[in-house]
Amino acid sequence: MNDDELKKLWQQQPLRDPAISPAQVMSAMQSKTTQLRRTLLVRDVRELVACVIVGVVFGIYYFIFRAPIMRLGALITVAGSIFIAWKILHARRTTPPAKPDATLVESLRAELHSVRTQSKLLRSVLWWYLLPLAVGAIVFVWGSLSNNFVFALVFSVAFTLFTLALDVFIYRLNQRAVSQQLLPLEAQLESLLHSAETGEPLDETHVANLRPIVLSMTTADHVKPAEFKVAFWQLAIYGEIGFVGIWFFLMLGLEGDRILRDLSRGSIHFVSRVFSWQHLVWLVLFFLGGLIYSWMLQKLTERAVGISTLGVHLQKGQNLILWDEIKEVRPLRILNIRSLWLIRGSDEKTIMPWTSLERPSDLKAAVEGFAPANHPIRQYLSLLTRIKTK
């Protein structure tokens, strides 16, 4: 089967071709839902670890800082972490996979219920995830004003604006995940469940929903994309900033009284205390924790992007965007990392990691070898060249 035939399958496959049996379609759907459950498991473990870290750190802050507002903020943050962990565990407990001996209809219902639950979680992420942590952290930071730090007001305003901007960004990412990943999968499961329950053939709407699965299933044995992970050092930079930042503010809290006394006298002797060898031992542990956390994140993003003659493979091959579907490419810059918006004819946008991917020279070669001539993605190859020569 050549590339043109595979593209034609994407556009015209009626799913009634004898060569593609219902069992094959169900096998493809099972692979997709299994992959989704693995992704959710990894995400939940990551979030639970983060909840433990945040809860422990702010629990320590509660006993270190004496300002009432700061202690209130610490309590809100700890309570928010506990609530988030409960919400995640509750969602997992109420959406178990079907038993091995379950019927086809029971399996489809279980997966559909799981996808709908995840959609509801992400739609409501503002109130159960973002707000508890944001409110607690903002109250905690503003409570530092009572300590009479000269820079406290400026820092509090800057921190509040940054926190709100970050929450807006995370909220929009979650809503995009619902619209581009979960809702299409929900429609596909509904189509298969309708056919399994009624025995009726799939109508054109259901056929359209299932075409992406058929394409992924058919191409799996014919196309092996060049695959890339997110580079470890890209993750480690930001992981270390977070963990070292936690260490720094923890040390400031431990030496808070001494810092205030020295500042009131015009002395900076507190610097030697903050960076004493006892505190630096803890810095090593926090630094190693940042490396481990970054390594875990990289393992979770394995096979982040694949490049083949057909197009761009995302989400471990579950999402294939054909080259001729990509009508426009725009850069998305976050600090020193650039990703690409892959924009289809329907103005549907999908984020593709770009400069954060490992082996930039191999990625550049893969795009040059597989992307059609004059494809808009080619104009961003120079970004990879700059990274290579650093």
Side-chain angles (χ1 to χ4, degrees):
M1 181 176 291
N2 59 36
D3 295 345
D4 291 336
E5 289 173 331
L6 289 173
K7 292 176 182 178
K8 186 177 180 181
L9 175 63
W10 169 267
Q11 298 166 348
Q12 299 179 359
Q13 175 61 46
L15 298 180
R16 300 184 182 91
D17 190 331
I20 302 177
S21 67
Q24 288 177 301
V25 177
M26 278 305 307
S27 176
M29 175 58 78
Q30 184 179 24
S31 298
K32 189 167 186 175
T33 54
T34 299
Q35 181 60 56
L36 175 63
R37 285 190 177 272
R38 290 174 181 170
T39 301
L40 293 176
L41 175 61
V42 168
R43 181 208 65 183
D44 292 347
V45 170
R46 182 184 68 232
E47 295 296 336
L48 290 173
V49 170
C51 286
V52 171
I53 293 174
V54 171
V56 170
V57 169
F58 277 87
I60 295 174
Y61 285 170
Y62 176 82
F63 293 101
I64 290 177
F65 295 98
R66 296 301 178 184
I69 302 301
M70 296 184 75
R71 301 185 80 180
L72 174 62
L75 283 178
I76 294 174
T77 305
V78 171
S81 300
I82 296 173
F83 179 70
I84 291 169
W86 173 83
K87 191 76 173 175
I88 292 172
L89 292 174
H90 178 72
R92 293 197 63 84
R93 188 172 65 251
T94 56
T95 58
K99 297 179 180 179
D101 59 348
T103 64
L104 175 61
V105 170
E106 291 172 341
S107 297
L108 290 172
R109 284 175 178 169
E111 298 306 327
L112 181 58
H113 177 55
S114 175
V115 172
R116 285 174 174 170
T117 299
Q118 293 301 321
S119 293
K120 291 178 181 178
L121 275 180
L122 296 190
R123 285 196 188 100
S124 60
V125 71
L126 176 63
W127 73 265
W128 69 267
Y129 186 93
L130 298 176
L131 281 182
L133 297 182
V135 170
I138 290 173
V139 170
F140 178 83
V141 169
W142 279 90
S144 66
L145 290 176
S146 61
N147 290 334
N148 297 317
F149 285 107
V150 176
F151 60 89
L153 179 60
V154 175
F155 176 78
S156 298
V157 172
F159 179 84
T160 301
L161 294 176
F162 173 78
T163 301
L164 294 177
L166 180 63
D167 284 353
V168 169
F169 177 73
I170 294 174
Y171 178 79
R172 294 183 64 178
L173 282 183
N174 279 273
Q175 303 317 301
R176 184 175 295 277
V178 171
S179 62
Q180 295 190 0
Q181 300 175 27
L182 295 180
L183 290 183
L185 180 56
E186 184 178 333
Q188 292 163 0
L189 286 166
E190 288 173 346
S191 297
L192 287 177
L193 181 59
H194 173 79
S195 180
E197 287 179 331
T198 64
E200 297 177 0
L202 297 171
D203 60 25
E204 289 305 317
T205 301
H206 296 153
V207 168
N209 290 336
L210 292 171
R211 278 176 185 148
I213 297 179
V214 174
L215 179 65
S216 299
M217 176 191 68
T218 307
T219 59
D221 296 329
H222 298 274
V223 178
K224 301 299 181 185
E227 295 179 326
F228 302 90
K229 299 187 296 184
V230 176
F232 173 77
W233 69 271
Q234 287 278 16
L235 295 171
I237 286 177
Y238 297 100
E240 292 302 344
I241 290 175
F243 274 75
V244 172
I246 292 174
W247 168 85
F248 180 71
F249 285 103
L250 182 60
M251 296 305 108
L252 288 182
L254 290 172
E255 300 295 335
D257 293 337
R258 181 184 296 273
I259 293 173
L260 286 175
R261 288 197 301 269
D262 288 350
L263 286 176
S264 64
R265 300 168 185 167
S267 170
I268 58 171
H269 181 68
F270 65 87
V271 174
S272 62
R273 290 293 305 167
V274 172
F275 294 96
S276 65
W277 70 267
Q278 296 96 332
H279 292 169
L280 291 178
V281 169
W282 282 101
L283 174 60
V284 173
L285 297 177
F286 274 84
F287 186 84
L288 292 176
L291 290 179
I292 293 173
Y293 189 70
S294 301
W295 172 81
M296 183 179 71
L297 288 180
Q298 191 201 32
K299 298 300 291 184
L300 304 183
T301 57
E302 189 175 1
R303 295 185 292 151
V305 174
I307 305 294
S308 76
T309 54
L310 284 178
V312 180
H313 304 250
L314 301 173
Q315 300 165 5
K316 298 186 178 181
Q318 296 297 323
N319 185 14
L320 171 59
I321 303 177
L322 298 176
W323 290 120
D324 56 11
E325 286 185 314
I326 304 172
K327 304 305 180 183
E328 185 181 358
V329 178
R330 297 177 190 169
L332 171 64
R333 182 168 184 170
I334 302 176
L335 299 179
N336 67 318
I337 298 177
R338 283 194 178 98
S339 299
L340 299 180
W341 286 114
L342 306 182
I343 305 175
R344 309 187 199 193
S346 59
D347 289 333
E348 179 183 350
K349 297 196 299 184
T350 303
I351 294 179
M352 171 188 174
W354 188 246
T355 62
S356 60
L357 294 175
E358 64 176 7
R359 309 197 323 269
S361 58
D362 291 348
L363 175 61
K364 182 173 181 288
V367 174
E368 288 177 331
F370 294 135
N374 301 320
H375 194 277
I377 199 173
R378 289 179 174 271
Q379 63 183 298
Y380 298 100
L381 292 176
S382 59
L383 298 178
L384 300 175
T385 303
R386 289 190 203 127
I387 290 177
K388 179 183 176 182
T389 57
K390 281 186 178 180

